[in-house]
Structures are given as structure tokens and as C-alpha cells.
Amino acid sequence: MDRLTHVYDCTGNLIFFDQFVLECQDHAIKLSQDQYLQSVETLSSPTLIFELNKNCPTRYYYRGIGLEKPLIIGVQFNNGMWAVKEFCENASVSFLLTLLKQRLLDGQVTIYVDNEIEDNALGNQFFNL
């Protein structure tokens, strides 16, 4: 099966795949066929998306693969297009908290959720997928 160089996410954004991505912000890897398919599935139908809106907008797509394997795909908006930059299997809760901690309090996070959850107390935006 040939790989596509792009996929549409659930909000209609066109997201491009680079040849190499960072694995949990550590080192560059080339996605295996399974990792690529999991990435496409996560981008097209995530459980949760959170967008960090400072400097260069970055979105993180979260989805559980199987019963106990969370997957986070990080994409950045640069030069007018979204591109996959990070791939993190089995992401810990502390990894998520580190990404959100500062910007959540500043009101610079947009969260897209799969169901009806809203909490605007911190000034952040929530949208249903």
C-alpha cells in the first residue's frame, strides 16, 4: 500500500506528513507502516484535539489505540500549512500536563472534544468535533 503525503483531519484541515517526525520530542524517526496508519486514524477521528495558540500554532491529536495505548500526534502550522512533527505512543499524563500547563492558565488553548464538555472559567475555547 502506498503512503499518502497528506490527510484531512476531522475539522477539514489538510495535514502533510514529513519524511521524519520527532518521537515524543526526543529524536527523529521514520514512521513504520503501522505507525503511519495509526497516525492517519488519529488525525481523521481523534478523541481530543488541543491547540496551543502562541507564536507558531501547534495542535495535538489524542486517540486511544487498542485498550491501553494512547497516541498523540503533534502538528504545526508553518508557512500556511499544517505538518506532522511529533509522534508519541504511550504518552504519559505528565507529558500532556507539561504541554498544557503554562498556556492553559494564559487562556491560549483551544480544545476540541468528542462529546459535550464545556468549561470556560479559564477563558479557553471548547468546540465539539
Side-chain angles (χ1 to χ4, degrees):
M1 179 174 138
D2 290 333
R3 291 186 185 195
L4 299 173
T5 58
H6 63 276
V7 65
Y8 284 96
D9 73 359
C10 59
T11 61
N13 290 314
L14 184 62
I15 300 173
F16 291 90
F17 283 89
D18 288 335
Q19 185 174 3
F20 293 95
V21 297
L22 290 176
E23 184 177 38
C24 291
Q25 301 178 332
D26 289 334
H27 60 280
I29 63 166
K30 186 173 183 177
L31 295 178
S32 71
Q33 186 68 19
D34 286 341
Q35 290 171 326
Y36 168 77
L37 292 173
Q38 291 171 352
S39 298
V40 169
E41 184 179 358
T42 299
L43 292 169
S44 60
S45 58
T47 302
L48 174 70
I49 303 171
F50 51 96
E51 183 175 325
L52 308 179
N53 301 314
K54 189 168 185 172
N55 301 333
C56 177
T58 304
R59 280 188 171 187
Y60 290 93
Y61 295 75
Y62 172 86
R63 182 182 174 93
I65 304 295
L67 295 174
E68 298 181 10
K69 188 176 175 184
L71 179 63
I72 296 176
I73 305 297
V75 301
Q76 286 184 338
F77 189 74
N78 197 1
N79 294 328
M81 61 184 223
W82 291 97
V84 174
K85 297 296 181 187
E86 296 176 61
F87 177 89
C88 190
E89 290 180 294
N90 298 321
S92 66
V93 173
S94 63
F95 178 79
L96 290 173
L97 290 176
T98 301
L99 291 173
L100 290 172
K101 188 177 181 181
Q102 180 182 3
R103 291 185 180 100
L104 189 60
L105 294 174
D106 293 342
Q108 298 174 351
V109 175
T110 303
I111 299 175
Y112 302 83
V113 293
D114 195 17
N115 56 12
E116 300 282 333
I117 299 173
E118 289 194 29
D119 179 9
N120 296 320
L122 295 174
N124 296 296
Q125 299 175 358
F126 290 78
F127 298 98
N128 293 317
L129 296 176

